[in-house]
Amino acid sequence: MAKVSLKNVYKRYEGGFVAVSDFNLEIEDKEFIILVGPSGCGKSTTLRMVAGLEDITEGEIYIGDKLVNDVPPKDRDIAMVFQNYALYPHMTVFDNMAFGLKLRKIPKDEIKRRVEEAAKILEISHLLERKPKALSGGQRQRVALGRAIVRNPKVFLMDEPLSNLDAKLRVQMRVEITKLHQRLATTIIYVTHDQTEAMTMGTRIVVMKDGVVQQVDDPTKIYQHPVNTFVAGFIGMPPMNFVDSTLTEENGKLYVSFAGTRLALPSAKYDNNTVRAYIGKNIILGLRPETISDAQEEVAKGRETHATFQANVDVLERLGAETYLYVSVDNENLVARVDPTTSATKVNDQIELVVSTDRIVLFDKETEKTII
Ligand code: ATP
């Protein structure tokens, strides 16, 4: 069983800087866990503590059922893949992959079998006799993965393994690593600052900020039910729109208003005591770009368009499958997603937009925590 547990783990660097604070997580066997957050949030430090490359100041780390606080990295049954693949330039691909096994005095036949098997999985069998300089970036990264696979570790630790690759290769390797996880059925802990990698690869995502875990959930929950404005703004591209608003009640119905617009909140979802406690207060409205659309498009699709407002189109971003409109209304700047096949909108148009009010997220303005 390759469970990994972190219990009340802290990392304080000399001088007292707290890089990781009270980190608690139970990683199940075969999980693909992603640690994600902005630069400096402590994700690499956390991974390095699991690897044993960094001492922990406080707390306990278990791999399987074994407490590993004082176990050296080489005895932790882990394999680590870094962003700079650190291949030995003078060695062939085969020797690069075999190196760790030779050090462990594994018999030659066994080494050959493991390297060939890993090469086959990674589709680099034809490259085994080449030197790293004769490989593309993606191929080198496969060799680095191969070097980890041959060790047959309980847990793979990956620290931004794709960040040196160009955008297209990154997408390709994202799929490759996901397939690899399915095929090897092992536990992977993967660090990235790229929210797309987090969303597409992880079975669960750990969002960190300033050394503190903000939320641990599967990608859908993280996206649909972020616990605070930080998670809501970090996950999703373009990010969620945040709008200052006030919650009001009229004839028993709840409304949120912003920039001269008043939207009725669907009672079934929003009318409860938690939300009602905010009546008369300032709150933050969270609107994902896909919840704001062109009202004309919606009418054409036969949908009802109650919650509409007028905005000016400042910038159009055409991505092919979708178009993003950067619009302004009073002092608010918002991003809306429209269908490029039906929208005839141009820059500087006044456009009527409609909000899917059943998908609004409300945040407490002071704590920035999610109300609903
Ligand atoms: P990045 O995406 O930039 O790699 P990260 O989330 O992985 O960021 P860490 O490398 O874990 O961040 O660093 C967390 C914090 O700890 C940073 O503010 C960093 O400056 C600090 N830090 C890292 N190593 C040391 C050290 N040896 N001494 C003091 N502070 C350190």
Side-chain angles (χ1 to χ4, degrees), residues 76-91:
R76 290 196 180 193
D77 216 350
I78 47 128
M80 194 140 172
V81 183
F82 298 95
Q83 63 175 268
N84 56 345
Y85 343 105
L87 301 180
Y88 298 110
H90 59 286
M91 287 186 195

PDB file of all heavy atoms in Angstrom, residues 76-91:
ATOM      1  N   ARG A  76      13.307   5.611   1.168  1.00  0.00           N
ATOM      2  CA  ARG A  76      11.879   5.946   1.317  1.00  0.00           C
ATOM      3  C   ARG A  76      10.987   5.282   0.280  1.00  0.00           C
ATOM      4  O   ARG A  76       9.776   5.467   0.276  1.00  0.00           O
ATOM      5  CB  ARG A  76      11.677   7.462   1.276  1.00  0.00           C
ATOM      6  CG  ARG A  76      12.229   8.138   2.494  1.00  0.00           C
ATOM      7  CD  ARG A  76      11.702   9.539   2.664  1.00  0.00           C
ATOM      8  NE  ARG A  76      12.295  10.118   3.855  1.00  0.00           N
ATOM      9  CZ  ARG A  76      11.889  11.230   4.436  1.00  0.00           C
ATOM     10  NH1 ARG A  76      10.887  11.916   3.921  1.00  0.00           N
ATOM     11  NH2 ARG A  76      12.472  11.685   5.523  1.00  0.00           N
ATOM     12  N   ASP A  77      11.604   4.574  -0.682  1.00  0.00           N
ATOM     13  CA  ASP A  77      10.830   3.902  -1.719  1.00  0.00           C
ATOM     14  C   ASP A  77      10.017   4.888  -2.562  1.00  0.00           C
ATOM     15  O   ASP A  77       8.845   4.692  -2.864  1.00  0.00           O
ATOM     16  CB  ASP A  77       9.896   2.861  -1.086  1.00  0.00           C
ATOM     17  CG  ASP A  77       9.779   1.641  -1.983  1.00  0.00           C
ATOM     18  OD1 ASP A  77      10.260   1.708  -3.131  1.00  0.00           O
ATOM     19  OD2 ASP A  77       9.206   0.636  -1.541  1.00  0.00           O
ATOM     20  N   ILE A  78      10.686   5.992  -2.896  1.00  0.00           N
ATOM     21  CA  ILE A  78      10.061   7.012  -3.737  1.00  0.00           C
ATOM     22  C   ILE A  78      10.979   7.264  -4.938  1.00  0.00           C
ATOM     23  O   ILE A  78      12.166   6.949  -4.890  1.00  0.00           O
ATOM     24  CB  ILE A  78       9.893   8.341  -2.973  1.00  0.00           C
ATOM     25  CG1 ILE A  78      11.207   8.685  -2.245  1.00  0.00           C
ATOM     26  CG2 ILE A  78       8.779   8.296  -1.970  1.00  0.00           C
ATOM     27  CD1 ILE A  78      11.711  10.015  -2.514  1.00  0.00           C
ATOM     28  N   ALA A  79      10.414   7.826  -5.997  1.00  0.00           N
ATOM     29  CA  ALA A  79      11.255   8.276  -7.105  1.00  0.00           C
ATOM     30  C   ALA A  79      10.804   9.667  -7.475  1.00  0.00           C
ATOM     31  O   ALA A  79       9.612   9.956  -7.495  1.00  0.00           O
ATOM     32  CB  ALA A  79      11.111   7.339  -8.292  1.00  0.00           C
ATOM     33  N   MET A  80      11.768  10.524  -7.729  1.00  0.00           N
ATOM     34  CA  MET A  80      11.426  11.926  -7.960  1.00  0.00           C
ATOM     35  C   MET A  80      11.775  12.331  -9.389  1.00  0.00           C
ATOM     36  O   MET A  80      12.818  11.943  -9.909  1.00  0.00           O
ATOM     37  CB  MET A  80      12.212  12.769  -6.954  1.00  0.00           C
ATOM     38  CG  MET A  80      11.701  14.166  -6.856  1.00  0.00           C
ATOM     39  SD  MET A  80      11.696  14.766  -5.159  1.00  0.00           S
ATOM     40  CE  MET A  80      11.292  16.476  -5.426  1.00  0.00           C
ATOM     41  N   VAL A  81      10.891  13.105 -10.003  1.00  0.00           N
ATOM     42  CA  VAL A  81      11.143  13.637 -11.344  1.00  0.00           C
ATOM     43  C   VAL A  81      11.100  15.162 -11.237  1.00  0.00           C
ATOM     44  O   VAL A  81      10.116  15.718 -10.758  1.00  0.00           O
ATOM     45  CB  VAL A  81      10.071  13.164 -12.356  1.00  0.00           C
ATOM     46  CG1 VAL A  81      10.402  13.660 -13.757  1.00  0.00           C
ATOM     47  CG2 VAL A  81       9.961  11.644 -12.350  1.00  0.00           C
ATOM     48  N   PHE A  82      12.195  15.799 -11.675  1.00  0.00           N
ATOM     49  CA  PHE A  82      12.299  17.265 -11.553  1.00  0.00           C
ATOM     50  C   PHE A  82      12.061  17.931 -12.895  1.00  0.00           C
ATOM     51  O   PHE A  82      12.052  17.293 -13.936  1.00  0.00           O
ATOM     52  CB  PHE A  82      13.689  17.665 -11.064  1.00  0.00           C
ATOM     53  CG  PHE A  82      14.026  17.150  -9.712  1.00  0.00           C
ATOM     54  CD1 PHE A  82      14.738  15.966  -9.565  1.00  0.00           C
ATOM     55  CD2 PHE A  82      13.659  17.839  -8.564  1.00  0.00           C
ATOM     56  CE1 PHE A  82      15.069  15.470  -8.316  1.00  0.00           C
ATOM     57  CE2 PHE A  82      13.985  17.361  -7.313  1.00  0.00           C
ATOM     58  CZ  PHE A  82      14.685  16.181  -7.192  1.00  0.00           C
ATOM     59  N   GLN A  83      11.950  19.265 -12.845  1.00  0.00           N
ATOM     60  CA  GLN A  83      11.730  19.994 -14.103  1.00  0.00           C
ATOM     61  C   GLN A  83      12.975  19.997 -14.977  1.00  0.00           C
ATOM     62  O   GLN A  83      12.888  19.915 -16.183  1.00  0.00           O
ATOM     63  CB  GLN A  83      11.238  21.416 -13.847  1.00  0.00           C
ATOM     64  CG  GLN A  83      12.187  22.294 -13.108  1.00  0.00           C
ATOM     65  CD  GLN A  83      11.627  23.717 -13.031  1.00  0.00           C
ATOM     66  OE1 GLN A  83      11.909  24.537 -13.878  1.00  0.00           O
ATOM     67  NE2 GLN A  83      10.851  24.009 -12.013  1.00  0.00           N
ATOM     68  N   ASN A  84      14.164  20.093 -14.351  1.00  0.00           N
ATOM     69  CA  ASN A  84      15.360  19.924 -15.184  1.00  0.00           C
ATOM     70  C   ASN A  84      15.738  18.448 -15.059  1.00  0.00           C
ATOM     71  O   ASN A  84      16.058  17.966 -13.991  1.00  0.00           O
ATOM     72  CB  ASN A  84      16.496  20.830 -14.720  1.00  0.00           C
ATOM     73  CG  ASN A  84      16.818  20.608 -13.266  1.00  0.00           C
ATOM     74  OD1 ASN A  84      16.041  20.006 -12.550  1.00  0.00           O
ATOM     75  ND2 ASN A  84      17.948  21.074 -12.811  1.00  0.00           N
ATOM     76  N   TYR A  85      15.632  17.749 -16.160  1.00  0.00           N
ATOM     77  CA  TYR A  85      15.616  16.282 -16.108  1.00  0.00           C
ATOM     78  C   TYR A  85      16.902  15.699 -15.547  1.00  0.00           C
ATOM     79  O   TYR A  85      16.973  14.563 -15.164  1.00  0.00           O
ATOM     80  CB  TYR A  85      15.341  15.691 -17.489  1.00  0.00           C
ATOM     81  CG  TYR A  85      14.765  16.682 -18.457  1.00  0.00           C
ATOM     82  CD1 TYR A  85      15.539  17.229 -19.477  1.00  0.00           C
ATOM     83  CD2 TYR A  85      13.449  17.101 -18.320  1.00  0.00           C
ATOM     84  CE1 TYR A  85      14.996  18.163 -20.341  1.00  0.00           C
ATOM     85  CE2 TYR A  85      12.903  18.025 -19.185  1.00  0.00           C
ATOM     86  CZ  TYR A  85      13.677  18.560 -20.200  1.00  0.00           C
ATOM     87  OH  TYR A  85      13.141  19.472 -21.037  1.00  0.00           O
ATOM     88  N   ALA A  86      17.998  16.527 -15.528  1.00  0.00           N
ATOM     89  CA  ALA A  86      19.260  16.083 -14.942  1.00  0.00           C
ATOM     90  C   ALA A  86      19.703  14.727 -15.482  1.00  0.00           C
ATOM     91  O   ALA A  86      20.010  13.814 -14.703  1.00  0.00           O
ATOM     92  CB  ALA A  86      19.146  16.068 -13.418  1.00  0.00           C
ATOM     93  N   LEU A  87      19.723  14.587 -16.794  1.00  0.00           N
ATOM     94  CA  LEU A  87      20.242  13.351 -17.382  1.00  0.00           C
ATOM     95  C   LEU A  87      21.765  13.471 -17.466  1.00  0.00           C
ATOM     96  O   LEU A  87      22.298  14.568 -17.603  1.00  0.00           O
ATOM     97  CB  LEU A  87      19.673  13.144 -18.793  1.00  0.00           C
ATOM     98  CG  LEU A  87      18.144  13.070 -18.892  1.00  0.00           C
ATOM     99  CD1 LEU A  87      17.723  12.868 -20.346  1.00  0.00           C
ATOM    100  CD2 LEU A  87      17.592  11.956 -18.020  1.00  0.00           C
ATOM    101  N   TYR A  88      22.449  12.338 -17.386  1.00  0.00           N
ATOM    102  CA  TYR A  88      23.916  12.362 -17.544  1.00  0.00           C
ATOM    103  C   TYR A  88      24.223  12.458 -19.034  1.00  0.00           C
ATOM    104  O   TYR A  88      23.870  11.557 -19.801  1.00  0.00           O
ATOM    105  CB  TYR A  88      24.530  11.101 -16.958  1.00  0.00           C
ATOM    106  CG  TYR A  88      24.259  10.980 -15.475  1.00  0.00           C
ATOM    107  CD1 TYR A  88      23.391  10.023 -14.973  1.00  0.00           C
ATOM    108  CD2 TYR A  88      24.888  11.848 -14.578  1.00  0.00           C
ATOM    109  CE1 TYR A  88      23.134   9.929 -13.611  1.00  0.00           C
ATOM    110  CE2 TYR A  88      24.631  11.755 -13.204  1.00  0.00           C
ATOM    111  CZ  TYR A  88      23.759  10.796 -12.751  1.00  0.00           C
ATOM    112  OH  TYR A  88      23.507  10.708 -11.398  1.00  0.00           O
ATOM    113  N   PRO A  89      24.887  13.557 -19.474  1.00  0.00           N
ATOM    114  CA  PRO A  89      25.057  13.791 -20.914  1.00  0.00           C
ATOM    115  C   PRO A  89      25.938  12.756 -21.613  1.00  0.00           C
ATOM    116  O   PRO A  89      25.751  12.483 -22.798  1.00  0.00           O
ATOM    117  CB  PRO A  89      25.700  15.185 -20.980  1.00  0.00           C
ATOM    118  CG  PRO A  89      26.221  15.467 -19.623  1.00  0.00           C
ATOM    119  CD  PRO A  89      25.442  14.640 -18.658  1.00  0.00           C
ATOM    120  N   HIS A  90      26.896  12.186 -20.871  1.00  0.00           N
ATOM    121  CA  HIS A  90      27.831  11.250 -21.515  1.00  0.00           C
ATOM    122  C   HIS A  90      27.275   9.830 -21.577  1.00  0.00           C
ATOM    123  O   HIS A  90      27.874   8.947 -22.164  1.00  0.00           O
ATOM    124  CB  HIS A  90      29.167  11.267 -20.761  1.00  0.00           C
ATOM    125  CG  HIS A  90      29.019  10.881 -19.313  1.00  0.00           C
ATOM    126  ND1 HIS A  90      28.457  11.744 -18.380  1.00  0.00           N
ATOM    127  CD2 HIS A  90      29.316   9.749 -18.654  1.00  0.00           C
ATOM    128  CE1 HIS A  90      28.431  11.138 -17.203  1.00  0.00           C
ATOM    129  NE2 HIS A  90      28.945   9.922 -17.349  1.00  0.00           N
ATOM    130  N   MET A  91      26.139   9.593 -20.964  1.00  0.00           N
ATOM    131  CA  MET A  91      25.573   8.230 -20.946  1.00  0.00           C
ATOM    132  C   MET A  91      24.450   8.092 -21.972  1.00  0.00           C
ATOM    133  O   MET A  91      23.746   9.067 -22.252  1.00  0.00           O
ATOM    134  CB  MET A  91      24.957   7.929 -19.576  1.00  0.00           C
ATOM    135  CG  MET A  91      25.932   7.712 -18.483  1.00  0.00           C
ATOM    136  SD  MET A  91      24.965   7.197 -17.040  1.00  0.00           S
ATOM    137  CE  MET A  91      26.185   7.433 -15.776  1.00  0.00           C
TER     138      MET A  91
END
